[in-house]
Amino acid sequence: MENLDEIKYQEALKKVKRIKGFYTHAIVYVVINVMIVIVNIQHLDKGESYVKLENFFTAFFWGIGLVTHGLSVFLPGMVMGKNWEERKIKELMDKEKNNKWE
């Protein structure tokens, strides 16, 4: 029973680390993009509009990465398929086991 509790604890710990990693990524995304906006606004010529395509490249493409990261954390079955980690671990363990005897 202790072994089962330890396994569940390790799985929960791993999930918490993944969630924390996503939140850290989101905070860095917001901070950096706010800094980019501030720098871009400071370098505008008088009467020039901020709304230009090149001002949104970083936010857009990094945003795609952030959404993908969020999906992999909160909906792992959608991105990698159900039980992908377990299957991959078993595959790698089987491969290691087979290579050990060669």
Side-chain angles (χ1 to χ4, degrees):
M1 188 67 175
E2 284 182 35
N3 193 22
L4 183 60
D5 288 340
E6 180 64 26
I7 291 171
K8 288 190 180 283
Y9 173 79
Q10 291 298 326
E11 288 175 359
L13 182 64
K14 186 176 177 183
K15 182 155 181 120
V16 167
K17 285 183 179 182
R18 290 178 56 149
I19 292 169
K20 182 180 176 185
F22 171 75
Y23 288 144
T24 302
H25 187 180
I27 290 168
V28 170
Y29 171 83
V30 169
V31 169
I32 296 298
N33 281 291
V34 166
M35 289 172 50
I36 289 172
V37 167
I38 291 169
V39 168
N40 285 342
I41 287 174
Q42 289 176 345
H43 290 94
L44 286 177
D45 294 329
K46 189 171 185 164
E48 186 180 10
S49 173
Y50 179 76
V51 182
K52 292 187 263 183
L53 188 59
E54 62 264 11
N55 289 336
F56 299 99
F57 281 140
T58 301
F60 178 74
F61 289 109
W62 190 355
I64 291 172
L66 183 62
V67 168
T68 304
H69 187 179
L71 290 174
S72 73
V73 170
F74 297 108
L75 298 173
M78 188 175 136
V79 176
M80 297 292 221
K82 192 172 183 175
N83 299 323
W84 178 84
E85 274 188 23
E86 290 82 15
R87 289 193 316 265
K88 194 65 176 174
I89 289 169
K90 184 176 181 334
E91 175 189 326
L92 292 172
M93 288 174 64
D94 289 345
K95 186 176 181 180
E96 181 65 27
K97 184 178 173 183
N98 290 338
N99 287 339
K100 199 173 199 180
W101 299 106
E102 289 180 3

